[in-house]
Amino acid sequence: MDRSKQKQHQQNEKQAASAGDSSVNGHFDGTAKITNRTGLPLAGSGETSGQSSSATESWREERTRSLEDNEMSLPSIAAAYTAILRGLGEDPQRQGLLKTPWRAATAMQFFTKGYQEKIIDVLNDAIFDEDHDEMVIVKDIDMFSMCEHHLVPIFGRVHIGYLPNKRVLGLSKLARIVEIYSRRLQVQERLTKQIAVAITEALQPAGVGVVIEATHMCMVMRGVQKMNSKTVTSTMLGVFREDPKTRDEFLTLIRS
Ligand SMILES: [Zn+2]
């Protein structure tokens, strides 16, 4: 790694840290590794479960949920939670549960608030022409999502790198892209790819790499009950896919 890249990396780290992200050591230890490299053009990887055509859906065709939609649907979601409580053998009328359906409904809307936002709104005014051609990395972006198969949390960290081609994105916007896609019902493989595709479409960079390390509560609390298992997914596009040196530099930097 040459000095300018080192410097760029340190700057990025500093900026990521000031944006509230923290770095953690040894975060690759004891992980179950699923490598999901996908290149351009965007084709399904064929190795993931629950992969749908929406995996490659462009953010340009997004539809969003409005605050009015939230208000309208809150009573029916709350009623559904009342039915769930009854179905679990609970008494929805007992004191501790009286407000639970409404709280749960409001919380679920918050957990999925990524549906209320569009990537394009985030990108507005945040793309800059810049003659910068060194790798830009923001790592350890905290991520909270919901498994679409079990409706329980997925949480972990996202690492993003890209090699600009005359255009760069405000660094905090990378974390915003993560937020918008993660606050939806997801599978980790699709989340990884959507982040990479959004950056590719916005910046047309020479390449993009996205790595997500996450814990799935559906694995930890049920099923195999592996407390410390982590799932690692990656999407590499452009030179990150084609050039092993670029990819290795990225992977080395996010582990350092
Ligand atoms: Zn699950």
Side-chain angles (χ1 to χ4, degrees):
M1 180 168 59
D2 66 43
R3 209 169 286 156
S4 62
K5 282 184 185 172
Q6 176 81 53
K7 195 171 153 222
Q8 177 66 42
H9 175 59
Q10 284 167 345
Q11 281 173 350
N12 291 336
E13 280 224 281
K14 223 178 284 167
Q15 265 153 309
S18 67
D21 304 317
S22 60
S23 68
V24 158
N25 293 325
H27 47 275
F28 276 88
D29 290 349
T31 57
K33 188 151 196 165
I34 297 175
T35 301
N36 180 23
R37 297 217 166 99
T38 312
L40 294 167
L42 303 163
S45 69
E47 66 175 77
T48 58
S49 62
Q51 191 104 3
S52 71
S53 59
S54 60
T56 53
E57 214 168 73
S58 166
W59 49 264
R60 293 173 200 283
E61 286 127 45
E62 277 190 315
R63 59 189 169 81
T64 53
R65 192 176 81 197
S66 69
L67 292 175
E68 292 73 46
D69 293 338
N70 279 355
E71 238 169 83
M72 294 252 296
S73 60
L74 195 62
S76 59
I77 299 174
Y81 274 120
T82 302
I84 290 171
L85 288 174
R86 250 188 229 110
L88 296 174
E90 266 290 356
D91 172 13
Q93 296 307 315
R94 77 176 170 81
Q95 199 191 20
L97 294 180
L98 276 179
K99 290 181 176 168
T100 295
W102 291 89
R103 287 195 202 99
T106 307
M108 186 55 92
Q109 287 184 335
F110 184 86
F111 297 153
T112 60
K113 69 187 171 74
Y115 292 120
Q116 292 163 217
E117 296 174 286
K118 282 185 176 177
I119 295 290
I120 198 155
D121 299 331
V122 168
L123 299 180
N124 274 347
D125 308 323
I127 297 174
F128 307 103
D129 293 326
E130 189 70 57
D131 216 9
H132 181 80
D133 60 356
E134 300 289 348
M135 193 179 291
V136 176
I137 291 179
V138 177
K139 64 177 194 174
D140 296 321
I141 300 168
D142 287 324
M143 178 276 290
F144 298 94
S145 190
M146 295 289 281
C147 159
E148 72 179 20
H149 300 140
H150 303 96
L151 301 185
V152 292
I154 304 170
F155 60 94
R157 293 199 155 85
V158 183
H159 314 295
I160 299 173
Y162 69 96
L163 203 57
N165 177 21
K166 308 258 185 273
R167 291 208 282 184
V168 298
L169 186 63
L171 287 175
S172 67
K173 303 298 179 181
L174 294 172
R176 292 278 293 129
I177 291 173
V178 171
E179 180 80 358
I180 290 175
Y181 281 131
S182 59
R183 296 284 189 177
R184 300 178 180 193
L185 303 185
Q186 279 288 6
V187 297
Q188 188 176 328
E189 297 89 334
R190 184 172 68 230
L191 174 60
T192 312
K193 194 187 279 185
Q194 282 177 327
I195 295 166
V197 168
I199 296 165
T200 300
E201 293 194 349
L203 299 178
Q204 303 294 317
V208 177
V210 177
V211 172
I212 302 183
E213 310 160 65
T215 300
H216 294 236
M217 290 312 286
C218 52
M219 278 178 73
V220 172
M221 285 183 73
R222 56 167 285 289
V224 290
Q225 300 195 12
K226 293 288 183 217
M227 284 299 289
N228 299 308
S229 75
K230 278 189 182 175
T231 304
V232 181
T233 49
S234 71
T235 296
M236 302 284 163
L237 303 178
V239 290
F240 281 63
R241 177 180 170 79
E242 289 146 19
D243 176 23
K245 264 184 67 183
T246 304
R247 183 169 62 236
D248 288 349
E249 180 185 340
F250 169 60
L251 294 175
T252 302
L253 287 171
I254 64 173
R255 283 181 176 93
S256 62

